[in-house]
Amino acid sequence: MKGIMRGRFVRKLKLMPTITNFKQQGLVLHLNTTTTPDVFCIQKLPTPPPTYDDHNHKGNNLAELEANDDHDHFEEEKEEELEEATTKKTLKLGEQKLETKITTCSIECPSLNDFKEMCPPGGRHTIILYTTSLRGIRKTFQDCNTVRFLLRSFKIMYHERDVSLHLEYREELWKILGGKVIPPKLFIKGKYIGGADEVVGLHEMGWLGKFLEGTPTHSTDHCTCIGCANMRFSICSNCCGSCKVFKAKGDNNHELFLRCPDCNENGLVKCPICC
């Protein structure tokens, strides 16, 4: 009987709350001395603020700051490398341009004696340009205009020979150069200079003007020829450009068509005023 009572007492004793349980539940046990002594009161503590580990939090912030610093440092290094590469590239281009200028300046200007002697008829002391006025091939026509414009820009006197207006000029040019060539072709004082590419190249190097020194020039008010409009040719007055003339044959007054002896294949004659 005593054992049973003892077991019940132990179980009730275990069910009674302890101070540890009160603390876990946010309760406080204190003695109320104001009213009745030896009376215990239980009060609930206010909810404590959430706790965290200051050390871990500071560590995380420090890690983030270090990561940001590393990123900014990487970006700065990248920008510095890019600026350095750009500067090196600019300096390299400048050095190349300087070397090109030095090389260009170091090359001596050639003289007319360096060119091959191929003197067209009447061109020992003059400038002769073979051109064409036909526009069938656009590049050829534009090249002729280019060389003509360069020569006119120096305001020099030169002789232009249009191979499309006079067949003898074409045969003459082919005979000089030893084959069928396409104008423009420039000859200066009996020296063959070349075509449009060679003439333009010499002009860009500043050498064409030196080759033309001592050449007679004309004034800016150089007028246009009233006979041929500076075309160097005019229509034949004997056949009126038809290349045919009539001639009587025998006593029957029969007329025959004969080739005009005065004009060329195009019914043109050299201008008697400017040629």
Side-chain angles (χ1 to χ4, degrees), residues 1-10:
M1 185 65 179
K2 290 181 180 180
I4 296 173
M5 294 296 293
R6 185 178 181 182
R8 290 180 181 178
F9 178 75
V10 172

Side-chain angles (χ1 to χ4, degrees), residues 204-248:
E204 291 178 351
M205 298 294 292
W207 295 339
L208 182 61
K210 296 184 179 296
F211 295 163
L212 300 176
E213 291 179 354
T215 304
T217 60
H218 59 76
S219 59
T220 56
D221 56 351
H222 182 68
C223 60
T224 304
C225 178
I226 60 176
C228 64
N230 293 339
M231 293 299 295
R232 309 295 182 185
F233 286 92
S234 61
I235 298 176
C236 178
S237 60
N238 187 22
C239 65
C240 297
S242 64
C243 299
K244 297 178 181 179
V245 293
F246 297 98
K247 183 179 181 180

Side-chain angles (χ1 to χ4, degrees), residues 12 32 38 87 139 169 186 211 227 234 237 242 250 255 258 271 275:
K12 289 181 180 181
N32 189 357
D38 301 332
T87 304
K139 186 179 184 305
Y169 288 161
L186 180 64
F211 295 163
S234 61
S237 60
S242 64
E255 293 182 349
L258 299 178
C271 180
C275 291

Side-chain angles (χ1 to χ4, degrees), residues 64-82:
E64 292 178 358
L65 291 174
E66 291 178 353
N68 293 332
D69 292 339
D70 293 340
H71 180 72
D72 295 340
H73 184 65
F74 176 75
E75 292 293 334
E76 291 178 357
E77 289 182 351
K78 190 174 181 181
E79 291 179 358
E80 291 178 356
E81 291 178 358
L82 182 60

